[in-house]
Amino acid sequence: MERLVCLAVGYVCGLLQTGYIVGKMNHIDIRKQGSGNAGTTNALRVIGWKAGILTFFGDVLKCVVAVVITCLLFRGSDCMPLLAMYAGAGVTLGHNFPFYMNFKGGKGIAVMAGLVAANSFWCLPESLLMIPVTLAFFLVPVIITRYISVGSLMAYTAFLIEMILAGQRGMLDMEPARLYELYILLFLMTALAFYRHRANIGRLMSGTENKFGAKKKE
């Protein structure tokens, strides 16, 4: 029941489509422009860097809020990192598949950034390394290749590995069964990120993916 509540809390928070709202503020339906995605990258390309920043931080914030609500609801739980991950999974589902937008949302990368920020506080000060390490796995590939999709998927994979390492080192303070449940849940979220980027992966393989800073090809 706790897990279902966390998923529900996360899904409701994830329904706040920052990119769509920012687009409407600029008299644009972000779903009908660019890639048709309601996330940060499309907002950045279609509307501009200010819209991209607003979209990113809005999507990060809704994940952090969902985790905070979860912590308040289940204060004292012996599996809080797992419940927080369920809340993050709920936000990801709400962000990617909002029911009121015909299940057409974003790809969940900014939400993952919010999950990194929220999870970095479980085992201070060591866990704070999650933020710069994950950021590096995003920025370095983007700087080298200029493909945001590559950096996004690298960052998500890095977060999965970081959480597994943190769990195996005892930093999450949970029994093995719950640790493995967290690993599986985060693996499924990572797999979903790759699935949501399947068109990007196809374009990368064909050499037609749009590079950051380049005009989108028609």
Side-chain angles (χ1 to χ4, degrees):
M1 181 59 70
E2 291 178 342
R3 292 160 175 76
L4 291 177
V5 170
C6 293
L7 279 171
V9 167
Y11 187 82
V12 171
C13 290
L15 291 177
L16 178 63
Q17 292 292 311
T18 314
Y20 180 76
I21 295 171
V22 171
K24 284 299 184 181
M25 290 170 59
N26 289 272
H27 312 291
I28 292 174
D29 186 342
I30 195 69
R31 299 170 302 165
K32 298 179 180 178
Q33 301 287 333
S35 67
N37 188 267
T40 299
T41 302
N42 201 36
L44 177 67
R45 285 176 172 157
V46 172
I47 310 174
W49 65 270
K50 290 183 180 179
I53 290 174
L54 282 174
T55 301
F56 176 78
F57 281 105
D59 289 342
V60 167
L61 182 60
K62 67 187 181 186
C63 187
V64 173
V65 168
V67 172
V68 170
I69 292 174
T70 296
C71 291
L72 292 175
L73 286 175
F74 300 105
R75 184 180 302 172
S77 172
D78 60 354
C79 60
M80 188 57 69
L82 176 61
L83 297 181
M85 194 62 67
Y86 271 100
V91 178
T92 301
L93 292 175
H95 176 78
N96 290 0
F97 309 107
F99 72 89
Y100 65 95
M101 293 173 62
N102 297 319
F103 303 98
K104 188 178 181 181
K107 297 180 180 177
I109 301 304
V111 171
M112 180 273 295
L115 201 52
V116 172
N119 275 279
S120 67
F121 291 97
W122 295 127
C123 307
L124 296 172
E126 295 90 345
S127 57
L128 278 176
L129 288 173
M130 283 187 182
I131 295 177
V133 169
T134 308
L135 182 61
F137 270 87
F138 172 78
L139 288 177
V140 172
V142 171
I143 291 172
I144 294 174
T145 68
R146 292 175 58 202
Y147 291 130
I148 292 180
S149 55
V150 173
S152 298
L153 295 175
M154 288 289 290
Y156 222 122
T157 303
F159 180 49
L160 169 63
I161 294 172
E162 288 173 298
M163 289 300 292
I164 292 175
L165 291 176
Q168 294 304 109
R169 292 177 60 194
M171 295 171 64
L172 301 181
D173 194 24
M174 292 193 302
E175 61 184 37
R178 287 173 173 170
L179 278 177
Y180 296 137
E181 183 179 349
L182 184 150
Y183 301 159
I184 292 171
L185 179 60
L186 186 50
F187 174 80
L188 293 175
M189 292 167 65
T190 306
L192 177 60
F194 274 81
Y195 175 76
R196 294 290 287 172
H197 282 81
R198 63 193 183 281
N200 302 84
I201 295 172
R203 289 193 295 269
L204 284 167
M205 294 178 68
S206 65
T208 59
E209 175 72 325
N210 291 293
K211 291 188 175 184
F212 179 68
K215 291 184 178 181
K216 183 174 177 59
K217 298 176 181 179
E218 299 294 335

